[in-house]
């Protein structure tokens, strides 16, 4: 059960509501449910149920919707029964009773330090993988690596990664921001591990609806045991593979920023296109609108489009952003060194390559910078909601 002071109403997941003995009323309430990501969720009805908190039961009206958590205690419930939320003590209180927010014991919730397995030198302005080992084992299996609270090295950053503590070594991605090499001694604390409280499994319907591309099922050169292992791996992560041209995925970890400082907007006029190319451009624009890649724009920026023929004969829709790129303040974040990347593959026997479907389109543009990506085909002004090719 999730206590959420940002939720105006109390919610229960649809499948759980159907199992309860309470009076589940299928209605369409006069409220609009919007999630934290801005998406709308359908409400199937309401339920009058008894909610047990601590030693007491509270009768309350709950709305039934397709949510991830089993139940969300909203602000309406907390206010109605005079609950007080104490984040410092991680508890909620009502009627003199103190109810802990987390049932996990303090011992289980402690962070685990990750120690460097070998002495490693990180080159200046570089990123590399360091093999680490957990300081203690057995408390939990899966964890997320994070930046250690007490760091002996300044100018060193650690990437957050989901790891399996039962493995012999934990890969920790470390970045050296300094202009001088950094030495990580053997046994030094390079990261902390926070236990993963819950891993949400994908609905069964997802695996039934998706089908792996035939190229992935053609596993020549493998024996039966290896073929079975690879198929199980691909089946487990099949939701990561694109199933159509419109299925490009979306990353919510970051948003692309176009930093142009105080430079005035750049407006360029559209270039003339042959009739056949013009029809192709209009078709591609319609596809991108339908797939949520672009939207109409009304800003002062505009760049011309370029249609590029790909190796397979299809057309890549690009925008000539050279003038925009000239005024954009560049990010000096260092790319991983190829030799460091190859060193990280030491000892591996199986290698695979992955190609992002319409790469770049997985990363969203910051809302205030979308208008800078505007382009015109002569039939309107459009702007990208995700990173376009050519930036």
């Amino acid at each position: 059960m999730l206590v959420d002071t940002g939720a105006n109403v109390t919610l229960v997941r649809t499948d759980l509501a159907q199992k309860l003995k309470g009076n589940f009323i299928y209605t369409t309430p006069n409220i609009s449910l919007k999630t934290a990501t801005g998406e709308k969720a359908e409400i199937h009805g309401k339920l009058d149920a008894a909610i047990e908190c601590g030693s007491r039961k509270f009768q309350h009206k709950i709305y039934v919707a397709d949510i991830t958590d089993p139940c969300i205690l909203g602000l309406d419930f907390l206010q109605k029964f005079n609950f007080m939320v104490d984040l410092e003590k991680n508890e909620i209180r009502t009627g003199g009773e103190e109810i802990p927010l987390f049932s996990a014991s303090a011992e289980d919730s402690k962070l685990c330090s990750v120690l460097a397995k070998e002495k490693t030198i990180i080159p200046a302005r570089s990123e590399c993988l360091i093999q680490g080992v957990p300081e203690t084992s057995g408390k939990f299996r899966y964890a997320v690596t994070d930046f250690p609270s007490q760091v002996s090295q300044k100018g060193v950053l650690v990437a957050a990664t989901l790891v399996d503590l039962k493995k012999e070594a934990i890969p920790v991605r470390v970045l050296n921001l300094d202009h001088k090499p950094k030495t990580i001694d053997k046994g030094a604390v390079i990261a902390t591990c926070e236990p993963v409280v819950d891993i949400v499994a994908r609905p069964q319907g997802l695996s039934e609806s998706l089908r792996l591309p035939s190229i992935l099922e053609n596993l020549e050169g493998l024996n039966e045991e290896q073929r079975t292992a690879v198929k199980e791996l691909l089946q487990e992560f099949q939701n990561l593979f694109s199933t159509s041209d419109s299925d490009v995925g979306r990353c919510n970890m970051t948003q692309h920023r176009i930093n142009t400082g105080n430079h005035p907007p750049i407006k360029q006029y559209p270039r003339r296109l042959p009739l056949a190319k013009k029809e192709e451009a209009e078709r591609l624009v319609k596809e991108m609108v339908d797939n949520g890649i672009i939207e109409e724009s009304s800003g002062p920026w505009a760049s011309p489009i370029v249609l590029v023929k790909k190796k397979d004969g299809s057309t890549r829709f690009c925008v000539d952003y050279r003038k925009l790129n000239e005024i954009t303040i560049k990010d000096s974040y260092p790319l991983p060194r190829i030799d460091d990347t190859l060193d990280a593959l030491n000892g591996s026997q199986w290698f695979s390559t992955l190609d992002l479907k319409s790469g770049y389109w997985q990363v969203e543009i910051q809302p205030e910078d979308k208008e800078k990506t505007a382009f015109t085909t002569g039939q309107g002004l459009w702007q990208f909601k995700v990173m376009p090719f050519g930036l």
Side-chain angles (χ1 to χ4, degrees), residues 57 62 76 82 86 88 118 133-134 148 181 189 211 238 241 251 258 280 285 292 304 316 332 350 374 384:
K57 288 186 178 181
I62 311 174
D76 62 332
N82 298 318
D86 191 334
E88 185 177 354
E118 301 291 344
V133 291
V189 177
R211 292 292 179 267
Q238 63 176 301
F241 295 97
C251 170
I258 306 174
E280 178 75 357
V285 166
R316 187 193 303 278
S332 60
W350 294 89
F384 277 88

mmCIF file of all heavy atoms in Angstrom, residues 57 62 76 82 86 88 118 133-134 148 181 189 211 238 241 251 258 280 285 292 304 316 332 350 374 384:
data_model
loop_
_atom_site.group_PDB
_atom_site.id
_atom_site.type_symbol
_atom_site.label_atom_id
_atom_site.label_comp_id
_atom_site.label_asym_id
_atom_site.label_seq_id
_atom_site.Cartn_x
_atom_site.Cartn_y
_atom_site.Cartn_z
ATOM 1 N N LYS A 57 -9.642 0.016 11.755
ATOM 2 C CA LYS A 57 -10.198 -0.075 10.417
ATOM 3 C C LYS A 57 -10.974 1.193 10.110
ATOM 4 O O LYS A 57 -11.691 1.709 10.966
ATOM 5 C CB LYS A 57 -11.110 -1.292 10.281
ATOM 6 C CG LYS A 57 -10.377 -2.616 10.258
ATOM 7 C CD LYS A 57 -11.330 -3.764 9.973
ATOM 8 C CE LYS A 57 -10.578 -5.095 9.900
ATOM 9 N NZ LYS A 57 -11.491 -6.223 9.603
ATOM 10 N N ILE A 62 -13.376 4.262 -2.135
ATOM 11 C CA ILE A 62 -12.163 4.127 -2.943
ATOM 12 C C ILE A 62 -12.553 4.078 -4.419
ATOM 13 O O ILE A 62 -13.542 3.414 -4.784
ATOM 14 C CB ILE A 62 -11.391 2.829 -2.602
ATOM 15 C CG1 ILE A 62 -11.209 2.695 -1.101
ATOM 16 C CG2 ILE A 62 -10.050 2.789 -3.288
ATOM 17 C CD1 ILE A 62 -10.584 1.375 -0.698
ATOM 18 N N ASP A 76 -7.440 12.555 0.433
ATOM 19 C CA ASP A 76 -8.814 12.540 0.968
ATOM 20 C C ASP A 76 -8.917 11.641 2.198
ATOM 21 O O ASP A 76 -9.559 11.982 3.184
ATOM 22 C CB ASP A 76 -9.800 12.094 -0.112
ATOM 23 C CG ASP A 76 -9.516 10.681 -0.604
ATOM 24 O OD1 ASP A 76 -8.342 10.263 -0.553
ATOM 25 O OD2 ASP A 76 -10.456 9.989 -1.040
ATOM 26 N N ASN A 82 -7.845 12.480 9.884
ATOM 27 C CA ASN A 82 -6.880 13.283 10.645
ATOM 28 C C ASN A 82 -5.513 12.602 10.817
ATOM 29 O O ASN A 82 -4.956 12.561 11.908
ATOM 30 C CB ASN A 82 -7.451 13.641 12.029
ATOM 31 C CG ASN A 82 -8.701 14.475 11.934
ATOM 32 O OD1 ASN A 82 -8.770 15.402 11.115
ATOM 33 N ND2 ASN A 82 -9.698 14.157 12.738
ATOM 34 N N ASP A 86 4.729 12.050 9.255
ATOM 35 C CA ASP A 86 6.016 12.455 9.822
ATOM 36 C C ASP A 86 7.122 11.780 9.011
ATOM 37 O O ASP A 86 7.456 10.616 9.232
ATOM 38 C CB ASP A 86 6.109 12.043 11.289
ATOM 39 C CG ASP A 86 7.317 12.675 11.999
ATOM 40 O OD1 ASP A 86 8.296 12.997 11.301
ATOM 41 O OD2 ASP A 86 7.278 12.837 13.229
ATOM 42 N N GLU A 88 10.266 12.550 8.952
ATOM 43 C CA GLU A 88 11.512 12.405 9.711
ATOM 44 C C GLU A 88 11.555 11.053 10.421
ATOM 45 O O GLU A 88 12.594 10.397 10.474
ATOM 46 C CB GLU A 88 11.644 13.551 10.722
ATOM 47 C CG GLU A 88 12.981 13.546 11.466
ATOM 48 C CD GLU A 88 13.111 14.725 12.405
ATOM 49 O OE1 GLU A 88 12.226 15.603 12.402
ATOM 50 O OE2 GLU A 88 14.114 14.761 13.138
ATOM 51 N N GLU A 118 40.153 -4.572 -7.549
ATOM 52 C CA GLU A 118 41.565 -4.399 -7.876
ATOM 53 C C GLU A 118 41.883 -2.909 -7.934
ATOM 54 O O GLU A 118 41.003 -2.065 -8.063
ATOM 55 C CB GLU A 118 41.893 -5.049 -9.229
ATOM 56 C CG GLU A 118 41.611 -6.546 -9.320
ATOM 57 C CD GLU A 118 42.553 -7.378 -8.475
ATOM 58 O OE1 GLU A 118 43.605 -6.841 -8.059
ATOM 59 O OE2 GLU A 118 42.243 -8.560 -8.221
ATOM 60 N N VAL A 133 33.153 -5.519 -5.323
ATOM 61 C CA VAL A 133 32.595 -6.624 -4.532
ATOM 62 C C VAL A 133 31.847 -6.026 -3.348
ATOM 63 O O VAL A 133 32.264 -5.014 -2.784
ATOM 64 C CB VAL A 133 33.700 -7.579 -4.030
ATOM 65 C CG1 VAL A 133 34.311 -8.344 -5.182
ATOM 66 C CG2 VAL A 133 34.780 -6.819 -3.275
ATOM 67 N N PRO A 134 30.702 -6.609 -2.961
ATOM 68 C CA PRO A 134 29.962 -6.077 -1.807
ATOM 69 C C PRO A 134 30.724 -6.309 -0.515
ATOM 70 O O PRO A 134 31.358 -7.346 -0.331
ATOM 71 C CB PRO A 134 28.654 -6.868 -1.837
ATOM 72 C CG PRO A 134 28.966 -8.117 -2.583
ATOM 73 C CD PRO A 134 30.022 -7.763 -3.568
ATOM 74 N N PRO A 148 28.634 6.964 -3.249
ATOM 75 C CA PRO A 148 28.845 6.798 -1.798
ATOM 76 C C PRO A 148 28.766 8.127 -1.071
ATOM 77 O O PRO A 148 29.180 9.159 -1.592
ATOM 78 C CB PRO A 148 30.247 6.190 -1.704
ATOM 79 C CG PRO A 148 30.917 6.563 -2.990
ATOM 80 C CD PRO A 148 29.840 6.630 -4.025
ATOM 81 N N PRO A 181 44.604 11.910 -13.899
ATOM 82 C CA PRO A 181 44.154 10.542 -13.624
ATOM 83 C C PRO A 181 43.834 10.361 -12.142
ATOM 84 O O PRO A 181 44.413 11.011 -11.271
ATOM 85 C CB PRO A 181 45.356 9.683 -14.045
ATOM 86 C CG PRO A 181 46.153 10.544 -14.959
ATOM 87 C CD PRO A 181 45.953 11.948 -14.490
ATOM 88 N N VAL A 189 36.126 2.156 -1.066
ATOM 89 C CA VAL A 189 34.684 2.232 -1.299
ATOM 90 C C VAL A 189 34.430 3.026 -2.578
ATOM 91 O O VAL A 189 34.806 4.195 -2.679
ATOM 92 C CB VAL A 189 33.962 2.893 -0.110
ATOM 93 C CG1 VAL A 189 32.468 3.025 -0.405
ATOM 94 C CG2 VAL A 189 34.173 2.098 1.162
ATOM 95 N N ARG A 211 5.656 -10.725 -30.445
ATOM 96 C CA ARG A 211 6.308 -11.833 -31.098
ATOM 97 C C ARG A 211 7.706 -11.383 -31.511
ATOM 98 O O ARG A 211 7.859 -10.322 -32.105
ATOM 99 C CB ARG A 211 5.508 -12.294 -32.321
ATOM 100 C CG ARG A 211 4.177 -12.926 -31.961
ATOM 101 C CD ARG A 211 4.358 -14.260 -31.244
ATOM 102 N NE ARG A 211 3.089 -14.855 -30.866
ATOM 103 C CZ ARG A 211 2.508 -14.681 -29.702
ATOM 104 N NH1 ARG A 211 3.060 -13.886 -28.801
ATOM 105 N NH2 ARG A 211 1.364 -15.258 -29.424
ATOM 106 N N GLN A 238 11.583 -9.428 -24.343
ATOM 107 C CA GLN A 238 11.065 -9.154 -25.680
ATOM 108 C C GLN A 238 10.384 -7.789 -25.771
ATOM 109 O O GLN A 238 10.253 -7.232 -26.857
ATOM 110 C CB GLN A 238 10.092 -10.250 -26.101
ATOM 111 C CG GLN A 238 8.845 -10.356 -25.240
ATOM 112 C CD GLN A 238 7.893 -11.398 -25.778
ATOM 113 O OE1 GLN A 238 7.441 -11.287 -26.914
ATOM 114 N NE2 GLN A 238 7.606 -12.417 -24.998
ATOM 115 N N PHE A 241 12.289 -5.037 -27.684
ATOM 116 C CA PHE A 241 12.464 -5.073 -29.132
ATOM 117 C C PHE A 241 11.306 -4.373 -29.831
ATOM 118 O O PHE A 241 10.148 -4.506 -29.431
ATOM 119 C CB PHE A 241 12.582 -6.514 -29.626
ATOM 120 C CG PHE A 241 13.809 -7.226 -29.122
ATOM 121 C CD1 PHE A 241 13.740 -8.056 -28.016
ATOM 122 C CD2 PHE A 241 15.031 -7.042 -29.739
ATOM 123 C CE1 PHE A 241 14.861 -8.703 -27.530
ATOM 124 C CE2 PHE A 241 16.169 -7.688 -29.252
ATOM 125 C CZ PHE A 241 16.090 -8.517 -28.159
ATOM 126 N N CYS A 251 12.707 6.994 -23.448
ATOM 127 C CA CYS A 251 13.518 7.012 -22.228
ATOM 128 C C CYS A 251 13.081 8.195 -21.360
ATOM 129 O O CYS A 251 12.993 9.321 -21.846
ATOM 130 C CB CYS A 251 15.003 7.140 -22.574
ATOM 131 S SG CYS A 251 16.071 7.450 -21.162
ATOM 132 N N ILE A 258 18.818 22.226 -25.409
ATOM 133 C CA ILE A 258 19.483 22.979 -26.482
ATOM 134 C C ILE A 258 19.815 24.355 -25.919
ATOM 135 O O ILE A 258 18.974 25.255 -25.880
ATOM 136 C CB ILE A 258 18.582 23.093 -27.724
ATOM 137 C CG1 ILE A 258 18.116 21.704 -28.169
ATOM 138 C CG2 ILE A 258 19.325 23.783 -28.861
ATOM 139 C CD1 ILE A 258 17.101 21.721 -29.290
ATOM 140 N N GLU A 280 6.376 12.791 -50.485
ATOM 141 C CA GLU A 280 7.044 11.927 -49.519
ATOM 142 C C GLU A 280 7.219 12.647 -48.178
ATOM 143 O O GLU A 280 7.025 12.064 -47.112
ATOM 144 C CB GLU A 280 8.414 11.503 -50.073
ATOM 145 C CG GLU A 280 9.250 10.645 -49.148
ATOM 146 C CD GLU A 280 8.761 9.213 -49.058
ATOM 147 O OE1 GLU A 280 7.721 8.893 -49.682
ATOM 148 O OE2 GLU A 280 9.401 8.420 -48.367
ATOM 149 N N VAL A 285 5.737 13.476 -42.481
ATOM 150 C CA VAL A 285 5.260 14.391 -41.436
ATOM 151 C C VAL A 285 4.009 13.826 -40.775
ATOM 152 O O VAL A 285 3.878 13.823 -39.539
ATOM 153 C CB VAL A 285 4.982 15.791 -42.019
ATOM 154 C CG1 VAL A 285 4.178 16.638 -41.038
ATOM 155 C CG2 VAL A 285 6.292 16.494 -42.343
ATOM 156 N N GLY A 292 3.427 10.572 -32.427
ATOM 157 C CA GLY A 292 3.800 11.399 -31.281
ATOM 158 C C GLY A 292 5.234 11.892 -31.306
ATOM 159 O O GLY A 292 5.794 12.236 -30.264
ATOM 160 N N PRO A 304 15.187 24.386 -42.409
ATOM 161 C CA PRO A 304 14.698 23.647 -43.583
ATOM 162 C C PRO A 304 14.894 22.140 -43.422
ATOM 163 O O PRO A 304 15.737 21.695 -42.655
ATOM 164 C CB PRO A 304 15.567 24.195 -44.717
ATOM 165 C CG PRO A 304 16.847 24.581 -44.055
ATOM 166 C CD PRO A 304 16.484 25.050 -42.664
ATOM 167 N N ARG A 316 15.099 8.880 -45.011
ATOM 168 C CA ARG A 316 15.280 9.401 -43.661
ATOM 169 C C ARG A 316 14.935 10.892 -43.666
ATOM 170 O O ARG A 316 15.484 11.664 -44.458
ATOM 171 C CB ARG A 316 16.715 9.203 -43.186
ATOM 172 C CG ARG A 316 16.892 9.595 -41.705
ATOM 173 C CD ARG A 316 18.365 9.694 -41.327
ATOM 174 N NE ARG A 316 19.095 8.469 -41.576
ATOM 175 C CZ ARG A 316 19.115 7.425 -40.766
ATOM 176 N NH1 ARG A 316 18.432 7.470 -39.640
ATOM 177 N NH2 ARG A 316 19.813 6.355 -41.067
ATOM 178 N N SER A 332 30.706 19.328 -22.785
ATOM 179 C CA SER A 332 32.027 18.695 -22.853
ATOM 180 C C SER A 332 32.089 17.361 -22.126
ATOM 181 O O SER A 332 33.165 16.876 -21.791
ATOM 182 C CB SER A 332 33.091 19.640 -22.257
ATOM 183 O OG SER A 332 32.797 19.930 -20.901
ATOM 184 N N TRP A 350 30.630 -14.321 -25.439
ATOM 185 C CA TRP A 350 29.507 -14.074 -26.341
ATOM 186 C C TRP A 350 29.324 -12.566 -26.506
ATOM 187 O O TRP A 350 29.353 -11.817 -25.545
ATOM 188 C CB TRP A 350 28.220 -14.682 -25.787
ATOM 189 C CG TRP A 350 28.258 -16.180 -25.735
ATOM 190 C CD1 TRP A 350 28.703 -16.953 -24.715
ATOM 191 C CD2 TRP A 350 27.870 -17.071 -26.765
ATOM 192 N NE1 TRP A 350 28.599 -18.268 -25.017
ATOM 193 C CE2 TRP A 350 28.094 -18.387 -26.288
ATOM 194 C CE3 TRP A 350 27.352 -16.912 -28.050
ATOM 195 C CZ2 TRP A 350 27.818 -19.518 -27.035
ATOM 196 C CZ3 TRP A 350 27.061 -18.041 -28.791
ATOM 197 C CH2 TRP A 350 27.301 -19.322 -28.296
ATOM 198 N N ALA A 374 12.007 23.592 -34.508
ATOM 199 C CA ALA A 374 10.941 23.802 -35.494
ATOM 200 C C ALA A 374 11.484 23.727 -36.917
ATOM 201 O O ALA A 374 12.596 24.153 -37.219
ATOM 202 C CB ALA A 374 10.266 25.147 -35.257
ATOM 203 N N PHE A 384 9.797 19.189 -32.903
ATOM 204 C CA PHE A 384 9.998 17.843 -32.389
ATOM 205 C C PHE A 384 9.705 17.783 -30.893
ATOM 206 O O PHE A 384 10.058 18.700 -30.136
ATOM 207 C CB PHE A 384 11.433 17.381 -32.651
ATOM 208 C CG PHE A 384 11.647 16.826 -34.031
ATOM 209 C CD1 PHE A 384 11.975 17.659 -35.087
ATOM 210 C CD2 PHE A 384 11.507 15.471 -34.271
ATOM 211 C CE1 PHE A 384 12.167 17.153 -36.365
ATOM 212 C CE2 PHE A 384 11.689 14.948 -35.531
ATOM 213 C CZ PHE A 384 12.024 15.786 -36.591
#
